[in-house]
mmCIF file of all heavy atoms in Angstrom:
data_model
loop_
_atom_site.group_PDB
_atom_site.id
_atom_site.type_symbol
_atom_site.label_atom_id
_atom_site.label_comp_id
_atom_site.label_asym_id
_atom_site.label_seq_id
_atom_site.Cartn_x
_atom_site.Cartn_y
_atom_site.Cartn_z
ATOM 1 N N LEU A 369 24.040 22.775 8.380
ATOM 2 C CA LEU A 369 23.798 23.749 7.318
ATOM 3 C C LEU A 369 23.664 25.166 7.861
ATOM 4 O O LEU A 369 23.592 26.118 7.088
ATOM 5 C CB LEU A 369 22.525 23.379 6.550
ATOM 6 C CG LEU A 369 22.524 21.990 5.891
ATOM 7 C CD1 LEU A 369 21.245 21.796 5.092
ATOM 8 C CD2 LEU A 369 23.748 21.785 5.013
ATOM 9 N N THR A 370 23.620 25.294 9.211
ATOM 10 C CA THR A 370 23.469 26.622 9.811
ATOM 11 C C THR A 370 24.763 27.127 10.422
ATOM 12 O O THR A 370 24.770 28.128 11.118
ATOM 13 C CB THR A 370 22.393 26.585 10.906
ATOM 14 O OG1 THR A 370 22.732 25.572 11.872
ATOM 15 C CG2 THR A 370 21.043 26.259 10.304
ATOM 16 N N GLY A 371 25.870 26.407 10.216
ATOM 17 C CA GLY A 371 27.147 26.816 10.784
ATOM 18 C C GLY A 371 27.518 26.004 11.985
ATOM 19 O O GLY A 371 26.720 25.257 12.542
ATOM 20 N N GLY A 372 28.776 26.142 12.474
ATOM 21 C CA GLY A 372 29.251 25.355 13.605
ATOM 22 C C GLY A 372 29.938 24.096 13.118
ATOM 23 O O GLY A 372 29.994 23.804 11.929
ATOM 24 N N SER A 373 30.498 23.358 14.058
ATOM 25 C CA SER A 373 31.233 22.157 13.678
ATOM 26 C C SER A 373 30.291 21.009 13.399
ATOM 27 O O SER A 373 29.232 20.897 13.993
ATOM 28 C CB SER A 373 32.211 21.746 14.787
ATOM 29 O OG SER A 373 31.504 21.244 15.889
ATOM 30 N N THR A 374 30.699 20.141 12.486
ATOM 31 C CA THR A 374 29.888 18.972 12.154
ATOM 32 C C THR A 374 29.757 18.051 13.342
ATOM 33 O O THR A 374 28.707 17.468 13.590
ATOM 34 C CB THR A 374 30.525 18.221 10.972
ATOM 35 O OG1 THR A 374 30.686 19.122 9.885
ATOM 36 C CG2 THR A 374 29.658 17.073 10.535
ATOM 37 N N ALA A 375 30.833 17.909 14.110
ATOM 38 C CA ALA A 375 30.792 17.007 15.267
ATOM 39 C C ALA A 375 29.747 17.458 16.268
ATOM 40 O O ALA A 375 28.969 16.673 16.790
ATOM 41 C CB ALA A 375 32.161 16.939 15.931
ATOM 42 N N ASN A 376 29.722 18.800 16.543
ATOM 43 C CA ASN A 376 28.725 19.318 17.472
ATOM 44 C C ASN A 376 27.312 19.137 16.914
ATOM 45 O O ASN A 376 26.360 18.870 17.647
ATOM 46 C CB ASN A 376 28.980 20.804 17.750
ATOM 47 C CG ASN A 376 30.241 21.019 18.565
ATOM 48 O OD1 ASN A 376 30.679 20.109 19.262
ATOM 49 N ND2 ASN A 376 30.820 22.212 18.458
ATOM 50 N N SER A 377 27.214 19.313 15.599
ATOM 51 C CA SER A 377 25.904 19.149 14.969
ATOM 52 C C SER A 377 25.378 17.746 15.152
ATOM 53 O O SER A 377 24.223 17.535 15.508
ATOM 54 C CB SER A 377 26.024 19.467 13.469
ATOM 55 O OG SER A 377 24.847 19.143 12.805
ATOM 56 N N ILE A 378 26.230 16.753 14.909
ATOM 57 C CA ILE A 378 25.807 15.357 15.034
ATOM 58 C C ILE A 378 25.481 15.029 16.475
ATOM 59 O O ILE A 378 24.510 14.328 16.772
ATOM 60 C CB ILE A 378 26.911 14.432 14.491
ATOM 61 C CG1 ILE A 378 27.026 14.632 12.977
ATOM 62 C CG2 ILE A 378 26.626 12.989 14.806
ATOM 63 C CD1 ILE A 378 28.182 13.909 12.347
ATOM 64 N N SER A 379 26.269 15.580 17.397
ATOM 65 C CA SER A 379 25.999 15.331 18.816
ATOM 66 C C SER A 379 24.652 15.913 19.212
ATOM 67 O O SER A 379 23.864 15.282 19.922
ATOM 68 C CB SER A 379 27.113 15.947 19.669
ATOM 69 O OG SER A 379 26.814 15.821 21.030
ATOM 70 N N SER A 380 24.369 17.141 18.737
ATOM 71 C CA SER A 380 23.094 17.762 19.058
ATOM 72 C C SER A 380 21.935 16.980 18.459
ATOM 73 O O SER A 380 20.879 16.839 19.070
ATOM 74 C CB SER A 380 23.060 19.204 18.527
ATOM 75 O OG SER A 380 24.108 19.952 19.097
ATOM 76 N N ALA A 381 22.132 16.470 17.239
ATOM 77 C CA ALA A 381 21.086 15.690 16.587
ATOM 78 C C ALA A 381 20.780 14.437 17.363
ATOM 79 O O ALA A 381 19.618 14.042 17.518
ATOM 80 C CB ALA A 381 21.512 15.330 15.162
ATOM 81 N N THR A 382 21.822 13.773 17.847
ATOM 82 C CA THR A 382 21.615 12.559 18.639
ATOM 83 C C THR A 382 20.832 12.866 19.905
ATOM 84 O O THR A 382 19.942 12.132 20.301
ATOM 85 C CB THR A 382 22.968 11.926 19.007
ATOM 86 O OG1 THR A 382 23.699 11.695 17.816
ATOM 87 C CG2 THR A 382 22.782 10.625 19.746
ATOM 88 N N ALA A 383 21.164 14.003 20.524
ATOM 89 C CA ALA A 383 20.442 14.380 21.741
ATOM 90 C C ALA A 383 18.984 14.690 21.438
ATOM 91 O O ALA A 383 18.084 14.337 22.197
ATOM 92 C CB ALA A 383 21.109 15.604 22.369
ATOM 93 N N LEU A 384 18.749 15.330 20.278
ATOM 94 C CA LEU A 384 17.380 15.676 19.898
ATOM 95 C C LEU A 384 16.534 14.428 19.717
ATOM 96 O O LEU A 384 15.442 14.300 20.259
ATOM 97 C CB LEU A 384 17.386 16.495 18.607
ATOM 98 C CG LEU A 384 16.017 16.816 17.995
ATOM 99 C CD1 LEU A 384 15.243 17.736 18.909
ATOM 100 C CD2 LEU A 384 16.187 17.441 16.614
ATOM 101 N N THR A 385 17.036 13.459 18.928
ATOM 102 C CA THR A 385 16.251 12.249 18.677
ATOM 103 C C THR A 385 16.085 11.435 19.933
ATOM 104 O O THR A 385 15.126 10.692 20.075
ATOM 105 C CB THR A 385 16.928 11.385 17.596
ATOM 106 O OG1 THR A 385 18.274 11.106 18.016
ATOM 107 C CG2 THR A 385 16.968 12.098 16.273
ATOM 108 N N GLY A 386 17.028 11.571 20.860
ATOM 109 C CA GLY A 386 16.905 10.798 22.091
ATOM 110 C C GLY A 386 15.802 11.293 22.999
ATOM 111 O O GLY A 386 15.377 10.592 23.898
ATOM 112 N N THR A 387 15.305 12.529 22.743
ATOM 113 C CA THR A 387 14.256 13.074 23.600
ATOM 114 C C THR A 387 12.855 12.716 23.114
ATOM 115 O O THR A 387 11.880 13.033 23.758
ATOM 116 C CB THR A 387 14.376 14.610 23.661
ATOM 117 O OG1 THR A 387 14.154 15.139 22.330
ATOM 118 C CG2 THR A 387 15.732 15.038 24.160
ATOM 119 N N ILE A 388 12.779 12.046 21.966
ATOM 120 C CA ILE A 388 11.469 11.710 21.417
ATOM 121 C C ILE A 388 10.787 10.664 22.300
ATOM 122 O O ILE A 388 11.358 9.632 22.613
ATOM 123 C CB ILE A 388 11.607 11.178 19.976
ATOM 124 C CG1 ILE A 388 12.122 12.293 19.058
ATOM 125 C CG2 ILE A 388 10.284 10.639 19.460
ATOM 126 C CD1 ILE A 388 12.356 11.858 17.636
#
Side-chain angles (χ1 to χ4, degrees):
L369 301 184
T370 56
S373 71
T374 305
N376 290 337
S377 172
I378 292 173
S379 175
S380 301
T382 304
L384 174 66
T385 56
T387 63
I388 294 177

